Amino acid sequence: MPATPPPLESYVESWTPGPIMAEDPLPTGPVEAFSALLDLPGTAAGAGDPVPPLWHWFYFLTWPAQRDLGADGHPSHGHFLPPLPGRQRMWAGGRCEITEPLRLGEPAERVSSLGSITVKEGRTGEMLFVTERREFRQRGRIRLVEEQDIVYRSGRGAGRHPVALDESAVPRPADPWRLQSRPDPALLFRFSALTANAHRIHYDTPYVQRAEGYPGLVVHGPLLALLMLELPRRHSPDARVRSLSYRLRRPVFSGEHLAACGVPSDGRAELRVATHREDQHATAEVTFA
């Protein structure tokens, strides 16, 4: 009989990474690059303008040495990476409070700290939820506070994914806010480059099918969140986002047609990403100032 593996909690009992600080001048280049990726007619913001909600993800990037990447393309070591054997990582969701938007072209500071560690029992075994808290400052004031929830497991889990992809089916949501998209490998590659993400599930088809068991390249969870946030930015450009929360539920695959859609009401909006397979691959809630 195989030995029962130790509980995940045992690996992190003494793991207490301290806060770390980073700086970034917030140049306009990343915003211009993501604007081009979205096929916008021009850049979404210029020097001195507010950074669109969640577009701060294109800043404060870290580039580990190539030798420090694991077989899956993720860093083998990192300040907030828990010391689990056979670590598998997934971005589960997060929250963001925007007191006032960050401004492009102004130096900014980010202080990252460990928020919480929680072990939960899932369908395929134990999962470790790690919440990282980030405070962003400009001109000595906290402008934005973010929490990211990352879920880890030790070893591979057996996910439920379609065997084959239908790249012709198009979702037809009735929501008043809609944005259709069909992410292809080139788009995923460009987004990986913009976010310093070397995870092979987003660009290496043989790897993702043989090693991870997915039917195709996986669309980045953060990209789904950004597509949802495009809805209020495009449909209600004068309303400033005060807070938002999002949850990444089920993967979307390259070649599938997706729809970011939403319903505004009473100073807030409910957002989601749908395909012909699922109504809620990702969900978000936004409140306006």
Side-chain angles (χ1 to χ4, degrees):
M1 247 181 108
T4 303
L8 296 186
E9 191 172 9
S10 66
Y11 294 104
V12 294
E13 286 176 338
S14 59
W15 181 61
T16 55
I20 55 174
M21 195 268 281
E23 299 178 338
D24 197 296
L26 300 193
T28 59
V31 164
E32 294 168 353
F34 189 56
S35 298
L37 187 149
L38 293 177
D39 280 329
L40 299 182
T43 184
D49 292 336
V51 177
L54 298 185
W55 289 38
H56 64 272
W57 287 346
F58 304 119
Y59 298 92
F60 299 95
L61 303 180
T62 57
W63 289 87
Q66 192 69 16
R67 63 179 176 273
D68 293 331
L69 298 182
D72 62 356
H74 265 311
S76 299
H77 310 284
H79 192 73
F80 293 110
L81 293 178
L84 300 182
R87 183 178 57 230
Q88 189 178 23
R89 175 186 184 273
M90 183 180 71
W91 198 330
R95 295 151 299 284
C96 193
E97 294 284 339
I98 306 173
T99 304
E100 50 183 317
L102 295 169
R103 297 276 174 176
L104 275 185
E106 295 186 12
E109 296 178 349
R110 184 188 70 187
V111 177
S112 303
S113 60
L114 183 65
S116 64
I117 307 173
T118 307
V119 176
K120 296 182 181 180
E121 188 69 30
R123 184 179 56 83
T124 57
E126 281 192 320
M127 300 181 294
L128 182 74
F129 285 79
V130 175
T131 296
E132 183 180 338
R133 177 183 170 86
R134 297 174 170 183
E135 293 184 355
F136 295 82
R137 298 187 176 100
Q138 274 182 329
R139 298 187 179 184
R141 299 196 305 272
I142 295 178
R143 302 289 184 92
L144 184 156
V145 177
E146 176 184 25
E147 291 184 336
Q148 293 181 358
D149 301 325
I150 311 296
V151 61
Y152 298 91
R153 65 174 69 250
S154 182
R156 299 293 177 191
R160 296 179 297 174
H161 309 298
V163 176
L165 300 176
D166 184 346
E167 298 186 0
S168 62
V170 180
R172 305 292 184 187
D175 308 55
W177 288 357
R178 295 184 299 276
L179 174 62
Q180 300 283 346
S181 181
R182 189 189 182 201
D184 62 13
L187 188 150
L188 300 188
F189 181 83
R190 295 176 74 187
F191 190 80
S192 289
L194 272 174
T195 53
N197 184 347
H199 197 183
R200 292 170 68 182
I201 65 172
H202 304 305
Y203 60 85
D204 188 337
T205 299
Y207 169 83
V208 78
Q209 292 176 337
R210 297 169 187 169
E212 300 279 358
Y214 292 114
L217 298 178
V218 179
V219 177
H220 308 68
L223 177 56
L224 298 181
L226 284 160
L227 290 176
M228 288 190 289
L229 267 293
E230 274 297 281
L231 295 169
R233 196 186 71 80
R234 297 186 186 195
H235 291 276
S236 190
D238 294 330
R240 185 173 72 81
V241 173
R242 175 65 177 84
S243 67
L244 63 96
S245 63
Y246 60 94
R247 184 177 176 186
L248 307 172
R249 300 171 180 269
R250 298 291 297 275
V252 178
F253 302 102
S254 174
E256 290 190 295
H257 292 268
L258 65 84
C261 39
V263 179
S265 64
D266 300 326
R268 57 193 292 273
E270 298 284 347
L271 313 173
R272 62 190 175 96
V273 170
T275 67
H276 72 285
R277 295 188 290 111
E278 300 271 352
D279 287 334
Q280 295 186 341
H281 286 272
T283 56
E285 181 178 327
V286 168
T287 59
F288 300 107

